[in-house]
Amino acid sequence: MLDKTTGIAKAACYVRQTLRLMVGVPPYSTYVTHMKNTHPDQPVMSYQEFFRERQEARYGGNGKVTRCC
Amino acid sequence: MSHLFNKLGWFALAATGAFAFAFIALHLGESIGAIWIVVATVCVYTIAYRFYSQFISRRVLRVDPIRMTPAYKFNDGLDYVPTNKYVLFGHHFAAIAGAGPLVGPILAAQMGYMPGMLWLLAGVVFAGAVQDFIVLFISTRRDGRSLGDLIKSELGQVPGMIALFGTFFIMLILLAVLALIVVKALAESPWGTFTVAATIPIALFMGVYARFIRPGAIGEVSMVGFALLMMSIVAGQYVQEIPALAALFTLTGEQLTWLLIAYGFIASVLPIWLLLAPRDYLSTFLKIGTIVGLAIGVIFISPELKMPAFTQFVDGSGPVWSGSLFPFLFITIACGAVSGFHSLISSGTTPKMIRNESDARFIGYGAMLMESFVAIMALVAASTIEPGVYFAMNSPAAIIGSTAESATQAISQWGFYVTPEMITQTARDVGEHTIISRTGGAPTLAVGMAQILSDVVGGRSMMAFWYHFAILFEALFILTAVDAGTRAGRFMLQDLLGTFIPSMKRTDSIVASLIATAICVAGWGYFLYQGVIDPLGGINTLWPLFGIANQMLAGIALILCTCVLFKMKRDRFAWVTIVPATWVIVCTLTAAWQKIFDANPRIGFLAHANTYKEALADGTLLAPAKSLGQMQQVIFNDYVNTSLTCLFMLVLLSMLVFGVRTVLRARGAGGPTAKEAPFELLPAEAAPGT
């Protein structure tokens, strides 16, 4: 029973992650873990800063084409 | 033992597919259920994925599961993030699927469902999915670099610049044709215009909400936005019924064109978080949801295909678009079979997030198969409409007139059964004043979808809702593309112009950005306006131009793939990309040649210009021109289209020359000359299966 609910929770988590990545936002927790592990000396962006940075990267330009016809 | 079962399983699948094809072939003269098409296509996709993509992965590319990927090498938690392959598949699919695979097959249905279906299957298996997969692989091995960069490093600086230049013009044509689809769908339709206009304040509200009230709450803000969208569809019906409001939202094609041009300019200079980002959330989620809904409808309802397998219009005399099956079918259906645009996505964000090279097969080849399936569903949706009604919706007014009676008369002469009542009843069912000459594909898809979806939810009384839902869904992501495309075009232009005028390169300069944006908007706005006033419906001119441009880019991408295979010393397997490259190049060049030089003024730009010139010499006026000045304008437009088509041919031919040169050099070299990132070992935690 427990297995089943954790299975569903895991699947829901993946669905959520997929939908967020579709609009260009990777998991914030992965970013934080990455910064703590590899760059402990550097400041970590807050979620709000992270979100804005990602928006800017997806739509901000430099000629990147992020979608098709 | 399990090996035997495995073989038996694949044999059974192949037999099922063959049976479905045999069933379709034996029932060519009668209507069949869509489920047969679905079974046949899914079998083809599965077998192609299992065998052909595995062959490409293992033997042709020799994908290396222990080789370093950009996601680990440059891991920053932002652009470069090792991502689960199913999650990344979703990301990649959402980026490649758009209006293209939905519109092309609908236009192609004028030749019957069979030519479109066969090209979608053969094209995706041997060309489209191969291109997407190999470009993704190439980019992954080269630190996730973009198509332009890849061409520069593998073929040389000049071909890189040429490709960039070509891409900019594709962008202009793409935006013009997409905007034309919206104009055609919304003209004289207060319900549709109101709901699409309502998306602007809804998106602005969402933008402020996700910026200041609940920063970054994408899911929450999208739910709120979705609820508001549904309310706007319902409200649209009341707008249509109140005369004063209906008059306000009843706009002609020309009025809508100017509004769209103004919108494109304003939207692309506003801050991204205000309008573009929230609109993108809505359109992305709505797109995925609608595709899933349509798949459920097609599979469970299995609507009957009323369009014949072949119509007499395979000879090129069709009213929707002109030109014979070869080469025009192969440029009319681009996305869904092979789309050059995908090479920009496959060398965009996806290669930066791929965990392991071996995932490239599932993501690159697999996502393209899925897009092809979306195109098949669009073809099914168009084919479920009574053929007489389909032609009433898709033929220009210059051919069938503008009343139900004149349309019935013209279409009956072609041998399709239709009555004026059928046409007016369909219009009533979907809550519109008229459905005659609603060209562009979107309204046809909307009628098809409304029929299928109303069978699932709501019945006939919900048809008008589903019709406007489908129109909204298409308009929403087209407007997002117009906004994002204008921005992307502006940066491309600044980059290109910057080579000659250094001050134009400064993207932080307001003047430089405004000038570049204005040039972009004027560029696509020009083609859009030309399409809207065209009595043959505009699609007849613009869609082939778009198809030629898109397949030109596919040709370029496949040339790149071929060069890389030779540089990797995989000469034996280079046919994998040479065959599709040759086909795409032959189709594109033939179509471009006919678009310029064909003697039929419905096909050839020069012949069309001559008709107007002769009339001008006689002092007579030809529609749509109402003055001698406008006659001059039509002739001028024809020359612009001719020049643009010439340009596409030249770009493709020069890339071919550079490609052949690269291949000859690679064959002369003693060892591999591909410019891959040096080999590094992938961290142990990234091994496949983890």
Side-chain angles (χ1 to χ4, degrees), chain A residues 21 34 47 55 58-59 68-69, chain B residues 75 91 95 99-100 216 280-281:
Chain A
L21 192 62
H34 168 78
Y47 175 69
Q55 266 195 344
R58 179 171 168 87
Y59 311 103
C68 184
C69 33
Chain B
N75 191 349
H91 166 81
D280 183 40
Y281 302 154

Side-chain angles (χ1 to χ4, degrees), chain B residues 332-356:
Chain B
T332 300
I333 300 187
C335 314
V338 49
S339 165
F341 234 79
H342 293 186
S343 59
L344 300 176
I345 313 293
S346 292
S347 59
T349 48
T350 311
K352 299 188 176 84
M353 291 188 281
I354 208 160
R355 277 170 67 102
N356 191 303

Side-chain angles (χ1 to χ4, degrees), chain B residues 254-336:
Chain B
E254 284 180 54
Q255 288 170 320
L256 282 166
T257 304
W258 289 113
L259 284 175
L260 262 178
I261 291 173
Y263 168 82
F265 184 83
I266 296 170
S268 61
V269 294
L270 284 180
I272 46 162
W273 56 265
L274 187 56
L275 188 56
L276 176 56
R279 207 184 245 299
D280 183 40
Y281 302 154
L282 281 180
S283 69
T284 305
F285 300 143
L286 206 56
K287 174 171 76 188
I288 298 300
T290 309
I291 288 173
V292 172
L294 191 59
I296 293 174
V298 167
I299 292 168
F300 288 98
I301 306 288
S302 180
E304 213 171 276
L305 300 190
K306 302 205 176 93
M307 183 64 82
F310 296 93
T311 68
Q312 71 267 39
F313 298 131
V314 288
D315 64 358
S317 62
V320 184
W321 45 275
S322 32
S324 49
L325 192 142
F326 175 83
F328 286 100
L329 174 74
F330 306 99
I331 58 157
T332 300
I333 300 187
C335 314

Side-chain angles (χ1 to χ4, degrees), chain B residues 344-406:
Chain B
L344 300 176
I345 313 293
S346 292
S347 59
T349 48
T350 311
K352 299 188 176 84
M353 291 188 281
I354 208 160
R355 277 170 67 102
N356 191 303
E357 261 187 18
S358 57
D359 292 351
R361 172 184 168 206
F362 177 67
I363 295 162
Y365 202 95
M368 182 61 197
L369 290 179
M370 182 108 138
E371 163 149 307
S372 179
F373 186 66
V374 173
I376 290 280
M377 289 196 299
L379 187 64
V380 165
S383 305
T384 56
I385 301 172
E386 198 60 58
V389 176
Y390 168 88
F391 284 108
M393 293 188 75
N394 286 288
S395 308
I399 298 181
I400 59 165
S402 51
T403 64
E405 286 71 25
S406 65

Side-chain angles (χ1 to χ4, degrees), chain B residues 506-575:
Chain B
R506 291 187 43 205
T507 46
D508 55 335
S509 146
I510 294 178
V511 178
S513 328
L514 284 181
I515 292 175
T517 306
I519 297 177
C520 268
V521 175
W524 62 256
Y526 168 77
F527 288 103
L528 169 63
Y529 189 74
Q530 178 194 334
V532 169
I533 58 164
D534 182 353
L536 286 176
I539 286 291
N540 191 46
T541 309
L542 283 182
W543 192 262
L545 268 181
F546 163 63
I548 290 171
N550 200 355
Q551 301 305 58
M552 169 198 81
L553 190 57
I556 294 176
L558 285 164
I559 289 173
L560 169 73
C561 295
T562 308
C563 290
V564 169
L565 286 182
F566 276 104
K567 290 181 119 183
M568 290 170 85
K569 287 287 173 194
R570 306 280 156 78
D571 305 19
R572 269 182 68 196
F573 297 114
W575 57 265

